[in-house]
Every structure is written in structure tokens, then in C-alpha cells.
Amino acid sequence: MSTSINPYRGFRFPAAIINEAVWLYHCFSLSLREVELILAARGIEVSYETIREWGLRFGRDSANTLRFCDDPGNDGSSGGFGGGATAMYFPFTGGRPECVSEFSMGST
């Protein structure tokens, strides 16, 4: 019987908070202090240095979980631009990953 090692064992914060901080930092190109402010607004007190360490330790694992959506409007003829929206999956919720498009972020 083999058991897998939990990479989040021994950390003060749960895996969901660590993943959220790493996701905010890498996916939205925010500074470490901006991520610190966003988490503080949600009631999570963590330093920017801790977020930096999380990014170094868990950033590669997070990047490996990114998946790109199949977009039927993007036929590849324009090099990935103009044919359709670029979107990616990022499965943090534990359930079905949501598809986030660069055009759906600011639209109403």
C-alpha cells in the first residue's frame, strides 16, 4: 500500500488559500504586494514574502495543471489571434474546472 505525500503538510494555511495566492500571482501578473492586499481584503493575513515562497514552491505544479479550452472559432489560421477567444482551464475548485476567457473577464 503506497501513500502519496501531501505537499501542503506543515503549512499554516490550507491548500486552497496557497493555490489561490499562487494563481493570482501567476495568472494575472500581479505583484506580490497586490496579492497580499487582495488576500488581506478577504481576511487572510499573509506577507508578500510568504506568497513569493509559495510561488517558487508550488508555481510549477500550478502551471502544469493549466489546460487550454477547445475553441471552435479559432482555426489557427491567424496564429491564435483574432479567430476566437483564448481561454484556459484552471482546476482549483476541486470540482469541474471553469473555462475563463480573456474576453469574458471585463465584459458585461
Side-chain angles (χ1 to χ4, degrees):
M1 179 186 221
S2 80
T3 59
S4 62
I5 298 172
N6 182 4
Y8 301 99
R9 184 173 179 230
F11 284 91
R12 176 180 169 200
F13 294 96
I17 291 175
I18 295 172
N19 286 335
E20 176 103 9
V22 172
W23 177 72
L24 284 170
Y25 178 66
H26 288 291
C27 287
F28 295 109
S29 299
L30 299 173
S31 72
L32 295 168
R33 293 181 192 260
E34 289 171 333
V35 175
E36 179 184 19
L37 289 173
I38 291 170
L39 293 176
R42 296 178 182 176
I44 303 164
E45 190 173 329
V46 62
S47 72
Y48 71 93
E49 184 62 28
T50 301
I51 297 167
R52 185 187 72 82
E53 290 174 6
W54 290 345
L56 292 173
R57 183 164 181 164
F58 301 111
R60 175 56 50 200
D61 294 334
S62 297
N64 290 339
T65 60
L66 284 173
R67 295 185 200 105
F68 289 94
C69 300
D70 293 326
D71 185 9
N74 190 357
D75 59 359
S77 61
S78 61
F81 299 104
T86 303
M88 68 183 85
Y89 284 119
F90 203 74
F92 268 143
T93 58
R96 183 173 176 260
E98 295 182 18
C99 186
V100 180
S101 172
E102 65 182 341
F103 297 108
S104 66
M105 301 256 250
S107 64
T108 55

